[in-house]
mmCIF file with all atom_site columns, all heavy atoms in Angstrom:
data_model
loop_
_atom_site.group_PDB
_atom_site.id
_atom_site.type_symbol
_atom_site.label_atom_id
_atom_site.label_alt_id
_atom_site.label_comp_id
_atom_site.label_asym_id
_atom_site.label_entity_id
_atom_site.label_seq_id
_atom_site.pdbx_PDB_ins_code
_atom_site.Cartn_x
_atom_site.Cartn_y
_atom_site.Cartn_z
_atom_site.occupancy
_atom_site.B_iso_or_equiv
_atom_site.pdbx_formal_charge
_atom_site.auth_seq_id
_atom_site.auth_comp_id
_atom_site.auth_asym_id
_atom_site.auth_atom_id
_atom_site.pdbx_PDB_model_num
ATOM 1   N N   . HIS A 1 1  ? -7.525  -7.123  23.548  1.00 0.00 ? 1  HIS A N   1
ATOM 2   C CA  . HIS A 1 1  ? -8.615  -7.530  22.672  1.00 0.00 ? 1  HIS A CA  1
ATOM 3   C C   . HIS A 1 1  ? -8.687  -6.517  21.539  1.00 0.00 ? 1  HIS A C   1
ATOM 4   O O   . HIS A 1 1  ? -8.078  -5.453  21.596  1.00 0.00 ? 1  HIS A O   1
ATOM 5   C CB  . HIS A 1 1  ? -9.948  -7.651  23.414  1.00 0.00 ? 1  HIS A CB  1
ATOM 6   C CG  . HIS A 1 1  ? -10.574 -6.341  23.788  1.00 0.00 ? 1  HIS A CG  1
ATOM 7   N ND1 . HIS A 1 1  ? -10.284 -5.690  24.975  1.00 0.00 ? 1  HIS A ND1 1
ATOM 8   C CD2 . HIS A 1 1  ? -11.487 -5.556  23.152  1.00 0.00 ? 1  HIS A CD2 1
ATOM 9   C CE1 . HIS A 1 1  ? -10.974 -4.565  25.061  1.00 0.00 ? 1  HIS A CE1 1
ATOM 10  N NE2 . HIS A 1 1  ? -11.720 -4.470  23.958  1.00 0.00 ? 1  HIS A NE2 1
ATOM 11  N N   . ARG A 1 2  ? -9.414  -6.864  20.490  1.00 0.00 ? 2  ARG A N   1
ATOM 12  C CA  . ARG A 1 2  ? -9.479  -6.030  19.295  1.00 0.00 ? 2  ARG A CA  1
ATOM 13  C C   . ARG A 1 2  ? -10.882 -5.489  19.114  1.00 0.00 ? 2  ARG A C   1
ATOM 14  O O   . ARG A 1 2  ? -11.851 -6.190  19.395  1.00 0.00 ? 2  ARG A O   1
ATOM 15  C CB  . ARG A 1 2  ? -9.049  -6.839  18.067  1.00 0.00 ? 2  ARG A CB  1
ATOM 16  C CG  . ARG A 1 2  ? -7.677  -7.450  18.227  1.00 0.00 ? 2  ARG A CG  1
ATOM 17  C CD  . ARG A 1 2  ? -7.443  -8.559  17.222  1.00 0.00 ? 2  ARG A CD  1
ATOM 18  N NE  . ARG A 1 2  ? -6.183  -9.220  17.466  1.00 0.00 ? 2  ARG A NE  1
ATOM 19  C CZ  . ARG A 1 2  ? -5.996  -10.151 18.395  1.00 0.00 ? 2  ARG A CZ  1
ATOM 20  N NH1 . ARG A 1 2  ? -6.998  -10.541 19.165  1.00 0.00 ? 2  ARG A NH1 1
ATOM 21  N NH2 . ARG A 1 2  ? -4.810  -10.688 18.570  1.00 0.00 ? 2  ARG A NH2 1
ATOM 22  N N   . GLU A 1 3  ? -10.956 -4.250  18.676  1.00 0.00 ? 3  GLU A N   1
ATOM 23  C CA  . GLU A 1 3  ? -12.254 -3.627  18.458  1.00 0.00 ? 3  GLU A CA  1
ATOM 24  C C   . GLU A 1 3  ? -12.259 -2.915  17.116  1.00 0.00 ? 3  GLU A C   1
ATOM 25  O O   . GLU A 1 3  ? -11.210 -2.441  16.645  1.00 0.00 ? 3  GLU A O   1
ATOM 26  C CB  . GLU A 1 3  ? -12.547 -2.579  19.546  1.00 0.00 ? 3  GLU A CB  1
ATOM 27  C CG  . GLU A 1 3  ? -12.809 -3.152  20.917  1.00 0.00 ? 3  GLU A CG  1
ATOM 28  C CD  . GLU A 1 3  ? -13.145 -2.065  21.925  1.00 0.00 ? 3  GLU A CD  1
ATOM 29  O OE1 . GLU A 1 3  ? -13.263 -0.873  21.519  1.00 0.00 ? 3  GLU A OE1 1
ATOM 30  O OE2 . GLU A 1 3  ? -13.279 -2.399  23.116  1.00 0.00 ? 3  GLU A OE2 1
ATOM 31  N N   . ARG A 1 4  ? -13.427 -2.854  16.528  1.00 0.00 ? 4  ARG A N   1
ATOM 32  C CA  . ARG A 1 4  ? -13.638 -2.021  15.335  1.00 0.00 ? 4  ARG A CA  1
ATOM 33  C C   . ARG A 1 4  ? -14.695 -0.992  15.684  1.00 0.00 ? 4  ARG A C   1
ATOM 34  O O   . ARG A 1 4  ? -15.790 -1.348  16.119  1.00 0.00 ? 4  ARG A O   1
ATOM 35  C CB  . ARG A 1 4  ? -14.071 -2.854  14.138  1.00 0.00 ? 4  ARG A CB  1
ATOM 36  C CG  . ARG A 1 4  ? -14.413 -2.020  12.906  1.00 0.00 ? 4  ARG A CG  1
ATOM 37  C CD  . ARG A 1 4  ? -14.598 -2.865  11.684  1.00 0.00 ? 4  ARG A CD  1
ATOM 38  N NE  . ARG A 1 4  ? -13.327 -3.374  11.206  1.00 0.00 ? 4  ARG A NE  1
ATOM 39  C CZ  . ARG A 1 4  ? -13.165 -3.980  10.031  1.00 0.00 ? 4  ARG A CZ  1
ATOM 40  N NH1 . ARG A 1 4  ? -14.208 -4.154  9.229   1.00 0.00 ? 4  ARG A NH1 1
ATOM 41  N NH2 . ARG A 1 4  ? -11.995 -4.419  9.673   1.00 0.00 ? 4  ARG A NH2 1
ATOM 42  N N   . ARG A 1 5  ? -14.353 0.279   15.521  1.00 0.00 ? 5  ARG A N   1
ATOM 43  C CA  . ARG A 1 5  ? -15.274 1.364   15.840  1.00 0.00 ? 5  ARG A CA  1
ATOM 44  C C   . ARG A 1 5  ? -15.410 2.284   14.641  1.00 0.00 ? 5  ARG A C   1
ATOM 45  O O   . ARG A 1 5  ? -14.514 2.375   13.810  1.00 0.00 ? 5  ARG A O   1
ATOM 46  C CB  . ARG A 1 5  ? -14.755 2.177   17.028  1.00 0.00 ? 5  ARG A CB  1
ATOM 47  C CG  . ARG A 1 5  ? -14.340 1.381   18.258  1.00 0.00 ? 5  ARG A CG  1
ATOM 48  C CD  . ARG A 1 5  ? -13.664 2.284   19.274  1.00 0.00 ? 5  ARG A CD  1
ATOM 49  N NE  . ARG A 1 5  ? -12.989 1.532   20.333  1.00 0.00 ? 5  ARG A NE  1
ATOM 50  C CZ  . ARG A 1 5  ? -12.110 2.060   21.171  1.00 0.00 ? 5  ARG A CZ  1
ATOM 51  N NH1 . ARG A 1 5  ? -11.814 3.360   21.071  1.00 0.00 ? 5  ARG A NH1 1
ATOM 52  N NH2 . ARG A 1 5  ? -11.527 1.313   22.101  1.00 0.00 ? 5  ARG A NH2 1
ATOM 53  N N   . GLU A 1 6  ? -16.524 2.986   14.603  1.00 0.00 ? 6  GLU A N   1
ATOM 54  C CA  . GLU A 1 6  ? -16.696 4.019   13.591  1.00 0.00 ? 6  GLU A CA  1
ATOM 55  C C   . GLU A 1 6  ? -15.847 5.226   13.987  1.00 0.00 ? 6  GLU A C   1
ATOM 56  O O   . GLU A 1 6  ? -15.926 5.710   15.107  1.00 0.00 ? 6  GLU A O   1
ATOM 57  C CB  . GLU A 1 6  ? -18.165 4.431   13.487  1.00 0.00 ? 6  GLU A CB  1
ATOM 58  C CG  . GLU A 1 6  ? -19.042 3.400   12.799  1.00 0.00 ? 6  GLU A CG  1
ATOM 59  C CD  . GLU A 1 6  ? -18.754 3.324   11.300  1.00 0.00 ? 6  GLU A CD  1
ATOM 60  O OE1 . GLU A 1 6  ? -18.873 4.349   10.626  1.00 0.00 ? 6  GLU A OE1 1
ATOM 61  O OE2 . GLU A 1 6  ? -18.422 2.226   10.826  1.00 0.00 ? 6  GLU A OE2 1
ATOM 62  N N   . VAL A 1 7  ? -15.006 5.682   13.057  1.00 0.00 ? 7  VAL A N   1
ATOM 63  C CA  . VAL A 1 7  ? -14.104 6.803   13.318  1.00 0.00 ? 7  VAL A CA  1
ATOM 64  C C   . VAL A 1 7  ? -14.159 7.789   12.157  1.00 0.00 ? 7  VAL A C   1
ATOM 65  O O   . VAL A 1 7  ? -14.621 7.449   11.049  1.00 0.00 ? 7  VAL A O   1
ATOM 66  C CB  . VAL A 1 7  ? -12.650 6.302   13.513  1.00 0.00 ? 7  VAL A CB  1
ATOM 67  C CG1 . VAL A 1 7  ? -12.537 5.394   14.719  1.00 0.00 ? 7  VAL A CG1 1
ATOM 68  C CG2 . VAL A 1 7  ? -12.141 5.612   12.249  1.00 0.00 ? 7  VAL A CG2 1
ATOM 69  N N   . PRO A 1 8  ? -13.693 9.014   12.356  1.00 0.00 ? 8  PRO A N   1
ATOM 70  C CA  . PRO A 1 8  ? -13.599 9.957   11.236  1.00 0.00 ? 8  PRO A CA  1
ATOM 71  C C   . PRO A 1 8  ? -12.595 9.453   10.195  1.00 0.00 ? 8  PRO A C   1
ATOM 72  O O   . PRO A 1 8  ? -11.505 8.991   10.533  1.00 0.00 ? 8  PRO A O   1
ATOM 73  C CB  . PRO A 1 8  ? -13.116 11.251  11.895  1.00 0.00 ? 8  PRO A CB  1
ATOM 74  C CG  . PRO A 1 8  ? -13.458 11.110  13.336  1.00 0.00 ? 8  PRO A CG  1
ATOM 75  C CD  . PRO A 1 8  ? -13.329 9.644   13.640  1.00 0.00 ? 8  PRO A CD  1
ATOM 76  N N   . VAL A 1 9  ? -12.966 9.522   8.934   1.00 0.00 ? 9  VAL A N   1
ATOM 77  C CA  . VAL A 1 9  ? -12.098 9.147   7.817   1.00 0.00 ? 9  VAL A CA  1
ATOM 78  C C   . VAL A 1 9  ? -12.245 10.189  6.718   1.00 0.00 ? 9  VAL A C   1
ATOM 79  O O   . VAL A 1 9  ? -13.087 11.086  6.800   1.00 0.00 ? 9  VAL A O   1
ATOM 80  C CB  . VAL A 1 9  ? -12.446 7.749   7.246   1.00 0.00 ? 9  VAL A CB  1
ATOM 81  C CG1 . VAL A 1 9  ? -12.348 6.685   8.329   1.00 0.00 ? 9  VAL A CG1 1
ATOM 82  C CG2 . VAL A 1 9  ? -13.833 7.744   6.618   1.00 0.00 ? 9  VAL A CG2 1
ATOM 83  N N   . TYR A 1 10 ? -11.418 10.088  5.691   1.00 0.00 ? 10 TYR A N   1
ATOM 84  C CA  . TYR A 1 10 ? -11.638 10.793  4.444   1.00 0.00 ? 10 TYR A CA  1
ATOM 85  C C   . TYR A 1 10 ? -12.008 9.769   3.381   1.00 0.00 ? 10 TYR A C   1
ATOM 86  O O   . TYR A 1 10 ? -11.375 8.707   3.287   1.00 0.00 ? 10 TYR A O   1
ATOM 87  C CB  . TYR A 1 10 ? -10.382 11.551  3.985   1.00 0.00 ? 10 TYR A CB  1
ATOM 88  C CG  . TYR A 1 10 ? -10.013 12.729  4.846   1.00 0.00 ? 10 TYR A CG  1
ATOM 89  C CD1 . TYR A 1 10 ? -8.770  12.808  5.461   1.00 0.00 ? 10 TYR A CD1 1
ATOM 90  C CD2 . TYR A 1 10 ? -10.909 13.786  5.037   1.00 0.00 ? 10 TYR A CD2 1
ATOM 91  C CE1 . TYR A 1 10 ? -8.417  13.879  6.244   1.00 0.00 ? 10 TYR A CE1 1
ATOM 92  C CE2 . TYR A 1 10 ? -10.559 14.876  5.829   1.00 0.00 ? 10 TYR A CE2 1
ATOM 93  C CZ  . TYR A 1 10 ? -9.322  14.917  6.420   1.00 0.00 ? 10 TYR A CZ  1
ATOM 94  O OH  . TYR A 1 10 ? -8.975  15.988  7.215   1.00 0.00 ? 10 TYR A OH  1
ATOM 95  N N   . ALA A 1 11 ? -13.028 10.075  2.600   1.00 0.00 ? 11 ALA A N   1
ATOM 96  C CA  . ALA A 1 11 ? -13.419 9.215   1.483   1.00 0.00 ? 11 ALA A CA  1
ATOM 97  C C   . ALA A 1 11 ? -12.851 9.802   0.203   1.00 0.00 ? 11 ALA A C   1
ATOM 98  O O   . ALA A 1 11 ? -13.095 10.976  -0.122  1.00 0.00 ? 11 ALA A O   1
ATOM 99  C CB  . ALA A 1 11 ? -14.933 9.118   1.393   1.00 0.00 ? 11 ALA A CB  1
ATOM 100 N N   . LEU A 1 12 ? -12.064 9.012   -0.513  1.00 0.00 ? 12 LEU A N   1
ATOM 101 C CA  . LEU A 1 12 ? -11.544 9.431   -1.815  1.00 0.00 ? 12 LEU A CA  1
ATOM 102 C C   . LEU A 1 12 ? -12.630 9.208   -2.857  1.00 0.00 ? 12 LEU A C   1
ATOM 103 O O   . LEU A 1 12 ? -13.064 8.084   -3.090  1.00 0.00 ? 12 LEU A O   1
ATOM 104 C CB  . LEU A 1 12 ? -10.295 8.623   -2.166  1.00 0.00 ? 12 LEU A CB  1
ATOM 105 C CG  . LEU A 1 12 ? -9.624  8.993   -3.493  1.00 0.00 ? 12 LEU A CG  1
ATOM 106 C CD1 . LEU A 1 12 ? -8.972  10.364  -3.408  1.00 0.00 ? 12 LEU A CD1 1
ATOM 107 C CD2 . LEU A 1 12 ? -8.580  7.940   -3.891  1.00 0.00 ? 12 LEU A CD2 1
ATOM 108 N N   . THR A 1 13 ? -13.097 10.302  -3.471  1.00 0.00 ? 13 THR A N   1
ATOM 109 C CA  . THR A 1 13 ? -14.175 10.229  -4.444  1.00 0.00 ? 13 THR A CA  1
ATOM 110 C C   . THR A 1 13 ? -13.785 11.016  -5.691  1.00 0.00 ? 13 THR A C   1
ATOM 111 O O   . THR A 1 13 ? -12.738 11.671  -5.742  1.00 0.00 ? 13 THR A O   1
ATOM 112 C CB  . THR A 1 13 ? -15.485 10.790  -3.860  1.00 0.00 ? 13 THR A CB  1
ATOM 113 O OG1 . THR A 1 13 ? -15.281 12.165  -3.484  1.00 0.00 ? 13 THR A OG1 1
ATOM 114 C CG2 . THR A 1 13 ? -15.926 10.004  -2.640  1.00 0.00 ? 13 THR A CG2 1
ATOM 115 N N   . VAL A 1 14 ? -14.643 10.963  -6.700  1.00 0.00 ? 14 VAL A N   1
ATOM 116 C CA  . VAL A 1 14 ? -14.384 11.665  -7.953  1.00 0.00 ? 14 VAL A CA  1
ATOM 117 C C   . VAL A 1 14 ? -14.892 13.107  -7.828  1.00 0.00 ? 14 VAL A C   1
ATOM 118 O O   . VAL A 1 14 ? -16.010 13.353  -7.380  1.00 0.00 ? 14 VAL A O   1
ATOM 119 C CB  . VAL A 1 14 ? -15.088 10.958  -9.127  1.00 0.00 ? 14 VAL A CB  1
ATOM 120 C CG1 . VAL A 1 14 ? -14.870 11.730  -10.420 1.00 0.00 ? 14 VAL A CG1 1
ATOM 121 C CG2 . VAL A 1 14 ? -14.562 9.524   -9.249  1.00 0.00 ? 14 VAL A CG2 1
ATOM 122 N N   . ALA A 1 15 ? -14.057 14.063  -8.227  1.00 0.00 ? 15 ALA A N   1
ATOM 123 C CA  . ALA A 1 15 ? -14.420 15.476  -8.168  1.00 0.00 ? 15 ALA A CA  1
ATOM 124 C C   . ALA A 1 15 ? -15.321 15.851  -9.338  1.00 0.00 ? 15 ALA A C   1
ATOM 125 O O   . ALA A 1 15 ? -15.431 15.114  -10.334 1.00 0.00 ? 15 ALA A O   1
ATOM 126 C CB  . ALA A 1 15 ? -13.166 16.339  -8.178  1.00 0.00 ? 15 ALA A CB  1
ATOM 127 N N   . LYS A 1 16 ? -15.970 16.982  -9.231  1.00 0.00 ? 16 LYS A N   1
ATOM 128 C CA  . LYS A 1 16 ? -16.802 17.503  -10.310 1.00 0.00 ? 16 LYS A CA  1
ATOM 129 C C   . LYS A 1 16 ? -15.944 17.693  -11.555 1.00 0.00 ? 16 LYS A C   1
ATOM 130 O O   . LYS A 1 16 ? -14.865 18.244  -11.508 1.00 0.00 ? 16 LYS A O   1
ATOM 131 C CB  . LYS A 1 16 ? -17.424 18.842  -9.895  1.00 0.00 ? 16 LYS A CB  1
ATOM 132 C CG  . LYS A 1 16 ? -18.407 19.399  -10.910 1.00 0.00 ? 16 LYS A CG  1
ATOM 133 C CD  . LYS A 1 16 ? -19.024 20.691  -10.404 1.00 0.00 ? 16 LYS A CD  1
ATOM 134 C CE  . LYS A 1 16 ? -20.002 21.256  -11.414 1.00 0.00 ? 16 LYS A CE  1
ATOM 135 N NZ  . LYS A 1 16 ? -20.628 22.530  -10.933 1.00 0.00 ? 16 LYS A NZ  1
ATOM 136 N N   . GLY A 1 17 ? -16.436 17.217  -12.688 1.00 0.00 ? 17 GLY A N   1
ATOM 137 C CA  . GLY A 1 17 ? -15.671 17.277  -13.926 1.00 0.00 ? 17 GLY A CA  1
ATOM 138 C C   . GLY A 1 17 ? -15.012 15.965  -14.283 1.00 0.00 ? 17 GLY A C   1
ATOM 139 O O   . GLY A 1 17 ? -14.526 15.792  -15.395 1.00 0.00 ? 17 GLY A O   1
ATOM 140 N N   . GLY A 1 18 ? -14.997 15.015  -13.321 1.00 0.00 ? 18 GLY A N   1
ATOM 141 C CA  . GLY A 1 18 ? -14.476 13.683  -13.619 1.00 0.00 ? 18 GLY A CA  1
ATOM 142 C C   . GLY A 1 18 ? -12.991 13.524  -13.340 1.00 0.00 ? 18 GLY A C   1
ATOM 143 O O   . GLY A 1 18 ? -12.268 14.513  -13.138 1.00 0.00 ? 18 GLY A O   1
ATOM 144 N N   . PRO A 1 19 ? -12.515 12.289  -13.313 1.00 0.00 ? 19 PRO A N   1
ATOM 145 C CA  . PRO A 1 19 ? -11.110 12.020  -12.996 1.00 0.00 ? 19 PRO A CA  1
ATOM 146 C C   . PRO A 1 19 ? -10.170 12.462  -14.110 1.00 0.00 ? 19 PRO A C   1
ATOM 147 O O   . PRO A 1 19 ? -10.533 12.505  -15.277 1.00 0.00 ? 19 PRO A O   1
ATOM 148 C CB  . PRO A 1 19 ? -11.079 10.495  -12.829 1.00 0.00 ? 19 PRO A CB  1
ATOM 149 C CG  . PRO A 1 19 ? -12.220 10.000  -13.650 1.00 0.00 ? 19 PRO A CG  1
ATOM 150 C CD  . PRO A 1 19 ? -13.281 11.053  -13.563 1.00 0.00 ? 19 PRO A CD  1
ATOM 151 N N   . LYS A 1 20 ? -8.938  12.783  -13.712 1.00 0.00 ? 20 LYS A N   1
ATOM 152 C CA  . LYS A 1 20 ? -7.881  13.141  -14.652 1.00 0.00 ? 20 LYS A CA  1
ATOM 153 C C   . LYS A 1 20 ? -6.702  12.198  -14.412 1.00 0.00 ? 20 LYS A C   1
ATOM 154 O O   . LYS A 1 20 ? -5.640  12.602  -13.953 1.00 0.00 ? 20 LYS A O   1
ATOM 155 C CB  . LYS A 1 20 ? -7.442  14.584  -14.446 1.00 0.00 ? 20 LYS A CB  1
ATOM 156 C CG  . LYS A 1 20 ? -8.579  15.615  -14.512 1.00 0.00 ? 20 LYS A CG  1
ATOM 157 C CD  . LYS A 1 20 ? -8.072  16.999  -14.118 1.00 0.00 ? 20 LYS A CD  1
ATOM 158 C CE  . LYS A 1 20 ? -9.213  18.015  -14.083 1.00 0.00 ? 20 LYS A CE  1
ATOM 159 N NZ  . LYS A 1 20 ? -8.727  19.362  -13.615 1.00 0.00 ? 20 LYS A NZ  1
ATOM 160 N N   . LEU A 1 21 ? -6.919  10.941  -14.695 1.00 0.00 ? 21 LEU A N   1
ATOM 161 C CA  . LEU A 1 21 ? -5.937  9.908   -14.398 1.00 0.00 ? 21 LEU A CA  1
ATOM 162 C C   . LEU A 1 21 ? -5.304  9.370   -15.668 1.00 0.00 ? 21 LEU A C   1
ATOM 163 O O   . LEU A 1 21 ? -6.004  9.099   -16.643 1.00 0.00 ? 21 LEU A O   1
ATOM 164 C CB  . LEU A 1 21 ? -6.612  8.765   -13.620 1.00 0.00 ? 21 LEU A CB  1
ATOM 165 C CG  . LEU A 1 21 ? -7.167  9.138   -12.243 1.00 0.00 ? 21 LEU A CG  1
ATOM 166 C CD1 . LEU A 1 21 ? -8.049  8.024   -11.705 1.00 0.00 ? 21 LEU A CD1 1
ATOM 167 C CD2 . LEU A 1 21 ? -6.034  9.438   -11.270 1.00 0.00 ? 21 LEU A CD2 1
ATOM 168 N N   . LYS A 1 22 ? -4.000  9.178   -15.642 1.00 0.00 ? 22 LYS A N   1
ATOM 169 C CA  . LYS A 1 22 ? -3.274  8.645   -16.784 1.00 0.00 ? 22 LYS A CA  1
ATOM 170 C C   . LYS A 1 22 ? -3.193  7.124   -16.656 1.00 0.00 ? 22 LYS A C   1
ATOM 171 O O   . LYS A 1 22 ? -2.552  6.606   -15.732 1.00 0.00 ? 22 LYS A O   1
ATOM 172 C CB  . LYS A 1 22 ? -1.869  9.233   -16.846 1.00 0.00 ? 22 LYS A CB  1
ATOM 173 C CG  . LYS A 1 22 ? -1.035  8.737   -18.017 1.00 0.00 ? 22 LYS A CG  1
ATOM 174 C CD  . LYS A 1 22 ? 0.358   9.353   -17.983 1.00 0.00 ? 22 LYS A CD  1
ATOM 175 C CE  . LYS A 1 22 ? 1.216   8.810   -19.136 1.00 0.00 ? 22 LYS A CE  1
ATOM 176 N NZ  . LYS A 1 22 ? 2.597   9.377   -19.090 1.00 0.00 ? 22 LYS A NZ  1
ATOM 177 N N   . PRO A 1 23 ? -3.832  6.364   -17.555 1.00 0.00 ? 23 PRO A N   1
ATOM 178 C CA  . PRO A 1 23 ? -3.811  4.897   -17.445 1.00 0.00 ? 23 PRO A CA  1
ATOM 179 C C   . PRO A 1 23 ? -2.387  4.358   -17.527 1.00 0.00 ? 23 PRO A C   1
ATOM 180 O O   . PRO A 1 23 ? -1.545  4.867   -18.281 1.00 0.00 ? 23 PRO A O   1
ATOM 181 C CB  . PRO A 1 23 ? -4.646  4.437   -18.642 1.00 0.00 ? 23 PRO A CB  1
ATOM 182 C CG  . PRO A 1 23 ? -5.511  5.615   -18.993 1.00 0.00 ? 23 PRO A CG  1
ATOM 183 C CD  . PRO A 1 23 ? -4.677  6.823   -18.681 1.00 0.00 ? 23 PRO A CD  1
ATOM 184 N N   . PHE A 1 24 ? -2.136  3.333   -16.743 1.00 0.00 ? 24 PHE A N   1
ATOM 185 C CA  . PHE A 1 24 ? -0.850  2.658   -16.756 1.00 0.00 ? 24 PHE A CA  1
ATOM 186 C C   . PHE A 1 24 ? -0.738  1.807   -18.011 1.00 0.00 ? 24 PHE A C   1
ATOM 187 O O   . PHE A 1 24 ? -1.664  1.086   -18.387 1.00 0.00 ? 24 PHE A O   1
ATOM 188 C CB  . PHE A 1 24 ? -0.721  1.774   -15.515 1.00 0.00 ? 24 PHE A CB  1
ATOM 189 C CG  . PHE A 1 24 ? 0.438   0.828   -15.526 1.00 0.00 ? 24 PHE A CG  1
ATOM 190 C CD1 . PHE A 1 24 ? 1.743   1.302   -15.591 1.00 0.00 ? 24 PHE A CD1 1
ATOM 191 C CD2 . PHE A 1 24 ? 0.228   -0.546  -15.462 1.00 0.00 ? 24 PHE A CD2 1
ATOM 192 C CE1 . PHE A 1 24 ? 2.818   0.421   -15.583 1.00 0.00 ? 24 PHE A CE1 1
ATOM 193 C CE2 . PHE A 1 24 ? 1.296   -1.433  -15.453 1.00 0.00 ? 24 PHE A CE2 1
ATOM 194 C CZ  . PHE A 1 24 ? 2.580   -0.945  -15.521 1.00 0.00 ? 24 PHE A CZ  1
ATOM 195 N N   . LYS A 1 25 ? 0.393   1.894   -18.678 1.00 0.00 ? 25 LYS A N   1
ATOM 196 C CA  . LYS A 1 25 ? 0.624   1.105   -19.879 1.00 0.00 ? 25 LYS A CA  1
ATOM 197 C C   . LYS A 1 25 ? 1.257   -0.225  -19.486 1.00 0.00 ? 25 LYS A C   1
ATOM 198 O O   . LYS A 1 25 ? 2.388   -0.266  -19.013 1.00 0.00 ? 25 LYS A O   1
ATOM 199 C CB  . LYS A 1 25 ? 1.537   1.864   -20.857 1.00 0.00 ? 25 LYS A CB  1
ATOM 200 C CG  . LYS A 1 25 ? 1.765   1.144   -22.168 1.00 0.00 ? 25 LYS A CG  1
ATOM 201 C CD  . LYS A 1 25 ? 2.659   1.966   -23.095 1.00 0.00 ? 25 LYS A CD  1
ATOM 202 C CE  . LYS A 1 25 ? 2.905   1.236   -24.408 1.00 0.00 ? 25 LYS A CE  1
ATOM 203 N NZ  . LYS A 1 25 ? 3.802   2.029   -25.305 1.00 0.00 ? 25 LYS A NZ  1
ATOM 204 N N   . ASP A 1 26 ? 0.511   -1.304  -19.663 1.00 0.00 ? 26 ASP A N   1
ATOM 205 C CA  . ASP A 1 26 ? 1.024   -2.627  -19.319 1.00 0.00 ? 26 ASP A CA  1
ATOM 206 C C   . ASP A 1 26 ? 2.339   -2.893  -20.029 1.00 0.00 ? 26 ASP A C   1
ATOM 207 O O   . ASP A 1 26 ? 2.489   -2.626  -21.222 1.00 0.00 ? 26 ASP A O   1
ATOM 208 C CB  . ASP A 1 26 ? 0.015   -3.715  -19.715 1.00 0.00 ? 26 ASP A CB  1
ATOM 209 C CG  . ASP A 1 26 ? -1.200  -3.718  -18.794 1.00 0.00 ? 26 ASP A CG  1
ATOM 210 O OD1 . ASP A 1 26 ? -1.092  -3.218  -17.674 1.00 0.00 ? 26 ASP A OD1 1
ATOM 211 O OD2 . ASP A 1 26 ? -2.256  -4.216  -19.225 1.00 0.00 ? 26 ASP A OD2 1
ATOM 212 N N   . GLY A 1 27 ? 3.287   -3.427  -19.261 1.00 0.00 ? 27 GLY A N   1
ATOM 213 C CA  . GLY A 1 27 ? 4.580   -3.772  -19.832 1.00 0.00 ? 27 GLY A CA  1
ATOM 214 C C   . GLY A 1 27 ? 5.620   -2.689  -19.698 1.00 0.00 ? 27 GLY A C   1
ATOM 215 O O   . GLY A 1 27 ? 6.816   -2.941  -19.913 1.00 0.00 ? 27 GLY A O   1
ATOM 216 N N   . SER A 1 28 ? 5.209   -1.478  -19.352 1.00 0.00 ? 28 SER A N   1
ATOM 217 C CA  . SER A 1 28 ? 6.193   -0.403  -19.218 1.00 0.00 ? 28 SER A CA  1
ATOM 218 C C   . SER A 1 28 ? 7.069   -0.597  -17.985 1.00 0.00 ? 28 SER A C   1
ATOM 219 O O   . SER A 1 28 ? 8.207   -0.129  -17.931 1.00 0.00 ? 28 SER A O   1
ATOM 220 C CB  . SER A 1 28 ? 5.488   0.955   -19.167 1.00 0.00 ? 28 SER A CB  1
ATOM 221 O OG  . SER A 1 28 ? 4.576   1.014   -18.077 1.00 0.00 ? 28 SER A OG  1
ATOM 222 N N   . CYS A 1 29 ? 6.531   -1.257  -16.954 1.00 0.00 ? 29 CYS A N   1
ATOM 223 C CA  . CYS A 1 29 ? 7.288   -1.633  -15.774 1.00 0.00 ? 29 CYS A CA  1
ATOM 224 C C   . CYS A 1 29 ? 6.469   -2.682  -15.028 1.00 0.00 ? 29 CYS A C   1
ATOM 225 O O   . CYS A 1 29 ? 5.299   -2.919  -15.355 1.00 0.00 ? 29 CYS A O   1
ATOM 226 C CB  . CYS A 1 29 ? 7.592   -0.425  -14.876 1.00 0.00 ? 29 CYS A CB  1
ATOM 227 S SG  . CYS A 1 29 ? 6.129   0.445   -14.283 1.00 0.00 ? 29 CYS A SG  1
#
């Protein structure tokens, strides 16, 4: 049978100072 339980995880969140992400350029691949 299958169960869903609360377990320890890591939450990916934004750090202080904001994200430093390079936007993907559509069409480049």
